[in-house]
Amino acid sequence: MTYCLGIHVRQGVLLAADSRTNAGVDYISRYRKLFDFSVPGDRALMLCTSGNLSITQAVMHTLDRDLVTDSEVNLYALPTMYDIARYIGTCIRNLQEIDRPWLQKDKIDFQCSFLLGGQVKGEAPQLYQIYSQGNCIRSTPETPFLQIGETKYGKPILDRTLTYESSIEDVAKYALLSIDSTMRSNLSVGPPINLIMYHTDSFQIGHKARFIAGDPYLLKMRKHWEVALREAAASMPEIEWNSSALPDGPDLSDISEP
């Protein structure tokens, strides 16, 4: 399992991912899940992967091969972000069609999913989630983030802090907090954490970061967040206990022994 996060706000797009891959309690390894396919001046393309590692690596190999061989359909030839998302979905379907029978035979999960974020010249920035079936959905101002992998522990922070008008700098902090909270609650998610930030209409990636275990900033952020949560909880108004609002329990005094 892994945790990948994409956020699209007015100022830009940010993608973040951990690097842990879990194939059982005794086989945990690290693989990069966040990739940059940008062409400065023309398009910013960021991609996150989650799910069956052999399938996702095969998809990435196909995307690279189509670029190297200058295939008629590739990441740089397609004119829109939606076209790119559908192209990646087709790659997923084609590879699963080949491998699915053999994976199913040994009861191996073949599901995978991708996040695609960025901007192609002539369009506004966009963020897509591409499903294992090859179809996709797009983020909206009302739902400015998309998650894949181990999503549940990192979602509450985003629900409570993030809006489409949030600054891209704040978005980076929210993303790190979301991933760190997930790592705290689920051992299948772990460092290094990779982040890529893209500013709207810049058509180049200006900020990248990688945080390993024990990174000073991560430790500082974690301590600050935990202290702030404790202080916020302790300073909340006292509970107004109102036992009369609760219904009385059943009167057992009249129940005779059988």
Side-chain angles (χ1 to χ4, degrees):
M1 187 59 74
T2 191
Y3 177 36
C4 299
L5 169 64
I7 302 174
H8 174 210
V9 294
R10 188 177 299 279
Q11 291 185 357
V13 179
L14 181 137
L15 264 65
D18 80 315
S19 302
R20 182 165 291 178
T21 296
N22 177 22
V25 294
D26 57 351
Y27 190 78
I28 295 175
S29 55
R30 293 181 295 180
Y31 288 90
R32 185 160 62 102
K33 310 291 180 62
L34 178 56
F35 304 89
D36 178 12
F37 286 94
S38 300
V39 180
D42 179 66
R43 60 190 59 199
L45 298 177
M46 303 169 286
L47 201 59
C48 279
T49 70
S50 174
N52 183 285
L53 187 61
S54 67
I55 298 291
T56 59
Q57 286 189 339
V59 172
M60 298 305 296
H61 171 76
T62 301
L63 301 180
D64 280 325
R65 182 202 62 198
D66 289 350
L67 288 173
V68 170
T69 60
D70 197 22
S71 173
E72 183 178 352
V73 178
N74 65 58
L75 292 173
Y76 299 161
L78 292 166
T80 69
M81 289 289 289
Y82 177 76
D83 290 331
I84 294 171
R86 296 299 298 184
Y87 159 58
I88 295 170
T90 299
C91 292
I92 295 171
R93 279 198 297 262
N94 291 342
L95 289 162
Q96 285 186 336
E97 191 66 26
I98 297 170
D99 292 344
R100 182 189 293 113
W102 303 100
L103 294 171
Q104 285 181 325
K105 181 180 177 182
D106 291 324
K107 297 181 173 56
I108 296 174
D109 186 5
F110 57 85
Q111 301 292 319
C112 67
S113 51
F114 287 69
L115 292 178
L116 168 69
Q119 184 177 15
V120 173
K121 208 156 193 180
E123 290 190 314
Q126 295 172 35
L127 173 67
Y128 287 91
Q129 179 175 340
I130 306 165
Y131 293 101
S132 192
Q133 294 80 7
N135 58 323
C136 61
I137 62 170
R138 179 180 168 182
S139 68
T140 67
E142 295 76 25
T143 308
F145 68 91
L146 297 171
Q147 304 166 285
I148 56 176
E150 182 52 78
T151 61
K152 58 183 176 291
Y153 298 108
K155 188 174 185 294
I157 289 174
L158 301 173
D159 285 336
R160 291 179 180 273
T161 60
L162 182 65
T163 73
Y164 184 69
E165 302 300 332
S166 298
S167 74
I168 195 69
E169 290 77 16
D170 285 344
V171 163
K173 298 174 189 176
Y174 302 156
L176 272 179
L177 284 171
S178 180
I179 293 180
D180 185 69
S181 296
T182 304
M183 291 193 301
R184 185 70 180 265
S185 300
N186 192 310
L187 292 177
S188 69
V189 177
I193 301 170
N194 293 297
L195 272 73
I196 301 180
M197 179 194 294
Y198 171 72
H199 287 267
T200 298
D201 294 333
S202 65
F203 296 101
Q204 62 180 0
I205 301 299
H207 296 83
K208 293 183 179 182
R210 184 175 186 267
F211 301 92
I212 62 173
D215 182 274
Y217 180 79
L218 270 184
L219 296 177
K220 183 180 182 182
M221 179 202 70
R222 183 178 301 160
K223 182 177 180 181
H224 179 87
W225 181 246
E226 290 176 350
V227 169
L229 281 177
R230 292 192 195 101
E231 290 177 348
S235 64
M236 288 182 65
E238 295 297 326
I239 295 176
E240 297 180 4
W241 299 99
N242 186 6
S243 60
S244 62
L246 297 175
D248 292 332
D251 185 358
L252 305 180
S253 59
D254 294 334
I255 298 178
S256 59
E257 293 289 337

